[in-house]
Amino acid sequence: MAQRTFSIIKPDAVRKGYTGAVLAAIEQAGFKILAIKKASISKEQAEGFYYVHKERPFFNDLCTFMSSGPLFLMVLEKDNAIADLRKLMGATNPANAEEGTIRRKFAGSIQENAIHGSDAEETAAFEIGYWFAGYELI
Ligand code: CMP
């Protein structure tokens, strides 16, 4: 059954000019892009988005990084979208990401790792609602 997930092309990938290549990989893997917008987010917006990580040692650096430049916020749809996007992304740390994955190809470090994807249905619902209104999902 068609499922929705939320994704971000992170500031490192946008800065390096990988936006088009990441979008091509997503479309070639069969995802429909229901919504996409370019944004420069504040550190406070990043903190709200990543609140589940607020006790982690990397939280402050992560939120500084996510607010360091433009990024692309997206809602994607396909059968099994959540698991399939995470497979396409590869491991959080690009050093451990499989050959052919987005992070293996485009990520520079565990923090500046090119792309985000929701990890479960509840997180996808929260993350989509954090950045998009229902009428924007087409
Ligand atoms: P993301 O999938 O967006 O979810 C949390 C983010 O925290 C992760 O990708 C990385 O960008 C960042 N991060 C930085 N350090 C770590 C770490 N040691 N473990 C997991 N995530 C990290």
Side-chain angles (χ1 to χ4, degrees):
M1 216 184 78
Q3 186 183 53
R4 290 175 177 184
T5 192
F6 174 76
S7 183
I8 301 176
I9 304 176
K10 294 189 180 184
D12 58 315
V14 176
R15 258 194 294 274
K16 292 174 185 162
Y18 294 147
T19 303
V22 172
L23 286 175
I26 287 170
E27 283 201 309
Q28 277 159 21
F31 291 88
K32 268 204 280 187
I33 300 170
L34 296 192
I36 182 166
K37 61 186 170 194
K38 192 176 190 183
S40 284
I41 68 170
S42 67
K43 192 168 178 192
E44 290 69 28
Q45 284 177 304
E47 287 167 356
F49 175 71
Y50 277 124
Y51 80 97
V52 291
H53 295 303
K54 66 179 188 302
E55 305 302 337
R56 308 286 288 272
F58 57 79
F59 181 69
N60 186 56
D61 284 352
L62 171 64
C63 295
T64 300
F65 161 60
M66 291 299 285
S67 55
S68 69
L71 42 67
F72 286 87
L73 306 163
M74 300 180 285
V75 180
L76 306 175
E77 186 175 79
K78 91 185 267 301
D79 289 350
N80 207 30
I82 294 171
D84 285 0
L85 181 65
R86 290 180 71 84
K87 193 155 185 243
L88 180 66
M89 286 167 23
T92 305
N93 185 346
N96 302 327
E98 274 182 49
E99 204 64 58
T101 60
I102 289 172
R103 284 174 170 158
R104 179 64 174 256
K105 284 195 263 192
F106 303 121
S109 70
I110 192 165
Q111 178 171 277
E112 305 208 356
N113 63 355
I115 187 166
H116 167 84
S118 309
D119 63 2
E121 285 209 11
E122 312 78 71
T123 14
F126 165 75
E127 293 178 355
I128 291 168
Y130 192 85
W131 298 110
F132 290 96
Y135 65 82
E136 293 178 280
L137 312 180
I138 301 156

